[in-house]
Amino acid sequence: MTLKVVSAKLAAEIDKELMGPRIGFTLEQLMELAGFSVAQAVTRQFHLKKVVGEKTNVFVIAGPGNNGGDGLVCARHLKLFGYNPIVYYPIRSNRTEFYKQLTKQLEFFKVPILSGDDADSWKEFVKPDKTLCIVDAIFGFSFKPPLREPFQSIVDELHTLQEHIPIVSVDIPSGWDVDKGPVSEKYINPNVLVSLTVPKPCSELLDPKKTTHYIGGRFIPRDFANKYGFEPFGYEGTDQVLKL
């Protein structure tokens, strides 16, 4: 099946219209739905009933922007689903009060949050014998290369860790150009990709034999999808994700 993809420019236009005065979604609403869909994808791919022993940790790496916000929401839902999320949030966003509220919610649920001060120790929390997966919520479709620190070092480390622990990337693998794909020798090749709203061009460069692809972000009707040149996805029942 050939999937319709949209460029970074078109994805930004979709978000702008969704949050514009005619439709009226807020960033907070879309982020909640996106983060919930990522959490649901994790539960589909790494079901707790199939977990052996103490391997229930999900390590979430959150970037400073909206992709990171999706990761923070995802972590909260995973906690409620019975997983043990640990969040690494090296550069906290001061863009709006909402991001502070997301971290307060995690603290309320007693989800550990590592900060930029843990740059040398975060890897101690990622052990193959205890970690189900790593959620890569660092950068999304608006990312423009090159990577800067501390994220270059983080992605370099994830490049090594992915041989031992599955990585779930949110919307695009962090460090990839949304339209062109990997831009460096060391890059993330995720075990799972959760595209939000509609896949981006770089998703076509992933090997379907190595990467399971989900679509999430179930908040647009058919006429809106058709306006931007794609068909809505066939979500089942109350599901917020669909395996492609």
Side-chain angles (χ1 to χ4, degrees):
M1 178 176 65
T2 301
L3 292 173
K4 171 68 178 180
V5 299
V6 300
S7 66
K9 180 180 179 182
L10 198 58
E13 290 178 10
I14 290 172
D15 278 0
K16 183 178 180 181
E17 183 169 1
L18 286 171
M19 291 184 282
R22 185 179 72 85
I23 298 175
F25 274 114
T26 64
L27 173 63
E28 291 86 347
Q29 285 178 299
L30 297 183
M31 194 174 288
E32 186 69 26
L33 290 167
F36 181 77
S37 67
V38 175
Q40 193 174 76
V42 170
T43 68
R44 294 293 174 83
Q45 196 73 11
F46 307 98
H47 202 291
L48 278 179
K49 289 183 179 179
K50 299 179 181 178
V51 172
V52 179
E54 300 179 356
K55 197 171 183 178
T56 60
N57 289 2
V58 176
F59 195 80
V60 179
I61 306 180
N66 294 344
N67 199 261
D70 296 342
L72 300 178
V73 172
C74 169
R76 169 162 41 82
H77 286 292
L78 287 174
K79 181 70 173 183
L80 290 167
F81 294 159
Y83 295 79
N84 182 36
I86 301 169
V87 172
Y88 179 33
Y89 196 14
I91 298 180
R92 299 195 181 198
S93 174
N94 294 315
R95 192 177 303 177
T96 67
E97 182 66 23
F98 176 60
Y99 289 92
K100 295 179 183 178
Q101 293 170 339
L102 290 177
T103 57
K104 288 178 180 177
Q105 292 159 18
L106 291 174
E107 291 165 356
F108 175 69
F109 286 104
K110 296 181 172 56
V111 174
I113 306 175
L114 310 178
S115 68
D117 295 335
D118 299 294
D120 296 325
S121 61
W122 69 269
K123 295 184 286 286
E124 298 174 12
F125 294 85
V126 191
K127 301 296 183 183
D129 60 332
K130 291 189 176 182
T131 306
L132 275 174
C133 66
I134 298 169
V135 174
D136 156 35
I138 304 174
F139 293 116
F141 69 79
S142 60
F143 168 76
K144 304 295 183 191
L147 282 167
R148 296 177 176 82
E149 294 298 343
F151 300 108
Q152 180 66 68
S153 296
I154 292 171
V155 168
D156 287 348
E157 188 62 33
L158 292 179
H159 173 77
T160 301
L161 285 170
Q162 67 188 353
E163 298 299 322
H164 311 285
I165 303 172
I167 294 178
V168 179
S169 288
V170 178
D171 210 21
I172 71 167
S174 291
W176 285 38
D177 181 282
V178 65
D179 296 323
K180 300 176 183 178
V183 294
S184 61
E185 290 185 8
K186 291 184 178 181
Y187 59 90
I188 297 171
N189 191 20
N191 180 264
V192 177
L193 175 68
V194 185
S195 292
L196 298 175
T197 311
V198 61
K200 313 308 182 290
C202 65
S203 66
E204 297 180 307
L205 301 176
L206 292 166
D207 184 347
K209 295 180 180 179
K210 297 179 179 179
T211 302
T212 303
H213 193 180
Y214 290 86
I215 186 72
R218 187 180 182 181
F219 41 69
I220 58 174
R222 177 176 296 278
D223 59 341
F224 185 85
N226 292 164
K227 174 182 176 179
Y228 285 95
F230 63 95
E231 290 295 319
F233 296 90
Y235 294 97
E236 297 183 2
T238 59
D239 290 351
Q240 296 297 307
V241 291
L242 173 70
K243 184 186 287 188
L244 299 176

